[in-house]
Amino acid sequence: MRYFLCLSYDGSAFSGWQIQRGVPSVQACLEGALSRLLGRPMAITGAGRTDTAVNASGYVAHFDWEGELPFEASDFTYKLNAILPREIAVHSVAPVADDLHARFSARRREYTYFIHRHKDPFIRGFSWQCGYPEMDFEAMNKACQHLLGTHDFSCFEKSGSDNKTSICTVFEAFWKPYVPSYLQVMDCHSERSEESVYWYFRISADRFLRNMVRATVGSLIEVGRGKRSPEWMAELVAGGTRSDAGESVPGHALFLNHVSY
């Protein structure tokens, strides 16, 4: 029987999701905990790779087990979380159809990237301080429109990747301001500047290439700074190379937040 796990993880402690020799990974940590709980070596398959330091708040993985689990679902997650380090939290476990695959059955993945414009010691672990003097988010959202649809996104793909195709379908892409929850709770956000300090970038697609989101954000930052026009994004997608696109932004502010099946 196949089971799906829904989990979250703080990527700062890991060199990505996938098992790699000599470095810590989320997959290796989860397999170790699952093997300990079930009393035999277990393999687990994730919804996709995430790079070093990248986080996940709605990650999905599957494993196979003969018949029903030896614990109720609530007990299973409780026991598994007790074994796992504090950087990983399993939210649920549920049986699914045997042919449902955490990676290949996924139809839509959604990422969110957080930035803040002014220094803030309380969110620096999960947001990138982007303190350029001028940022035109209206122009950045115009540039986002050129990402929508089915295109070859190799201009945002990390060199040396082994994907069979660089074609992806992007369903949505936009920038939006927000107020961090700690400011809302303390009701002190009104004391801050009227300028929007906190922004997030949301993008969803059927699949993503290695480094694609971080390179996309870096390219949109170029537009926001006025170094490029929104139309440059269309030119980049139509025929640009990785060297033509903007620099990749840091991974610690990126979250894989939802996977749809």
Side-chain angles (χ1 to χ4, degrees):
M1 185 175 290
R2 178 155 294 177
Y3 291 86
F4 264 24
L5 289 174
C6 182
L7 61 142
S8 299
Y9 55 83
D10 172 358
S12 63
F14 305 102
S15 296
W17 160 263
Q18 191 172 19
I19 290 176
Q20 303 170 65
R21 181 176 296 178
V23 294
S25 70
V26 181
Q27 184 181 22
C29 193
L30 194 56
E31 285 189 355
L34 196 61
S35 299
R36 180 178 167 187
L37 179 61
L38 295 176
R40 70 169 209 196
M42 296 293 297
I44 192 161
T45 300
R49 297 177 180 176
T50 55
D51 293 334
T52 299
V54 174
N55 314 287
S57 58
Y59 197 87
V60 178
H62 79 247
F63 66 93
D64 294 326
W65 179 261
E66 297 85 357
E68 295 184 359
L69 294 173
F71 313 104
E72 294 292 333
S74 59
D75 289 339
F76 184 89
T77 56
Y78 175 82
K79 292 175 183 294
L80 189 57
N81 280 320
I83 299 171
L84 288 165
R86 62 183 180 179
E87 291 85 1
I88 303 175
V90 173
H91 307 303
S92 64
V93 58
V96 297
D98 289 341
D99 60 350
L100 196 62
H101 195 281
R103 179 183 176 188
F104 298 123
S105 299
R107 300 191 177 200
R108 181 173 178 141
R109 296 167 172 87
E110 184 177 274
Y111 280 89
T112 302
Y113 194 89
F114 293 93
I115 70 169
H116 54 290
R117 307 286 318 309
H118 297 167
K119 190 175 182 180
D120 186 331
F122 300 112
I123 63 170
R124 61 187 178 85
F126 298 103
S127 179
W128 177 49
Q129 184 178 341
C130 181
Y132 297 112
E134 300 293 334
M135 290 287 289
D136 187 343
F137 285 92
E138 183 177 350
M140 292 160 72
N141 272 324
K142 288 180 180 178
C144 284
Q145 297 303 304
H146 299 297
L147 298 170
L148 304 181
T150 303
H151 307 283
D152 184 331
F153 286 98
S154 55
C155 59
F156 301 129
E157 184 176 15
K158 186 174 183 178
S159 59
S161 299
D162 56 357
N163 293 308
K164 293 182 179 179
T165 177
S166 298
I167 295 176
C168 310
T169 299
V170 173
F171 304 117
E172 66 175 357
F174 62 86
W175 288 89
K176 190 173 181 179
Y178 80 103
V179 177
S181 58
Y182 81 91
L183 288 177
Q184 297 180 48
V185 170
M186 294 188 289
D187 196 25
C188 60
H189 60 278
S190 59
E191 301 172 9
R192 302 296 175 101
S193 168
E194 291 183 1
E195 174 193 6
S196 295
V197 175
Y198 306 94
W199 291 78
Y200 68 85
F201 171 66
R202 169 91 26 95
I203 184 169
S204 64
D206 61 341
R207 60 190 295 267
F208 286 92
L209 309 174
R210 256 187 104 185
N211 199 58
M212 178 175 162
V213 181
R214 292 164 59 199
T216 299
V217 172
S219 300
L220 290 168
I221 295 293
E222 297 280 286
V223 175
R225 296 176 62 193
K227 298 181 68 174
R228 302 284 188 174
S229 70
E231 290 69 35
W232 170 69
M233 189 64 66
E235 299 170 6
L236 192 59
V237 172
T241 65
R242 181 65 191 90
S243 60
D244 298 320
E247 294 184 1
S248 293
V249 290
H252 73 278
L254 181 60
F255 286 76
L256 172 59
N257 56 278
H258 190 66
V259 184
S260 301
Y261 294 88

